[in-house]
Amino acid sequence: IQEVLAYKGELDLLERFKKWDPPRFPVTGHHLTEAGVPKGRAMSVVLHKLKEQWKHSNFELTLEEMVTRIPDTLLSITQEDFKTSPKMGKRKRNKSKQR
């Protein structure tokens, strides 16, 4: 991105981009576990729904605000959510078969 901005002469935007600190989603699996969310697919669905809420708040909801939303978010899960929510979790590494 930086090279493209420099190439296009967007030097002001390039400087702003260099200084930009992207927002980090504040909620972890630990927070969900502490709030009573069962491990597995339900945790993935709750996490996805919380991320959507955070996104709609323009990434301004704090950790404390997000944690208070966990119980209601858990209660709002439907069967459809299990079908449509993306699966999350640890990604498996591709093991090379080279010898």
Side-chain angles (χ1 to χ4, degrees):
I1 292 176
Q2 293 182 36
E3 290 178 21
V4 171
L5 292 173
Y7 177 77
K8 289 183 146 193
E10 301 280 350
L11 302 181
D12 289 340
L13 185 56
L14 173 61
E15 286 307 309
R16 286 192 351 231
F17 179 76
K18 286 180 179 180
K19 295 175 184 175
W20 179 59
D21 189 21
R24 299 187 99 185
F25 185 63
V27 180
T28 66
H30 181 71
H31 297 111
L32 298 179
T33 302
E34 283 185 346
V37 177
K39 291 185 179 184
R41 190 74 175 116
M43 188 173 278
S44 294
V45 173
V46 170
L47 197 59
H48 174 72
K49 285 182 158 236
L50 288 172
K51 283 183 179 181
E52 287 297 310
Q53 294 173 30
W54 188 59
K55 181 173 78 173
H56 290 298
S57 79
N58 200 28
F59 313 102
E60 293 181 3
L61 288 171
T62 65
L63 172 60
E64 293 77 21
E65 292 169 321
M66 297 297 298
V67 168
T68 63
R69 292 171 176 241
I70 294 172
D72 288 339
T73 303
L74 179 60
L75 292 173
S76 74
I77 293 176
T78 65
Q79 286 294 342
E80 190 64 24
D81 291 325
F82 284 99
K83 296 175 187 173
T84 60
S85 183
K87 292 183 180 181
M88 296 179 186
K90 294 181 181 177
R91 294 185 179 151
K92 294 181 181 178
R93 288 184 171 175
N94 291 333
K95 294 184 179 178
S96 175
K97 292 186 179 182
Q98 297 175 350
R99 293 183 182 190

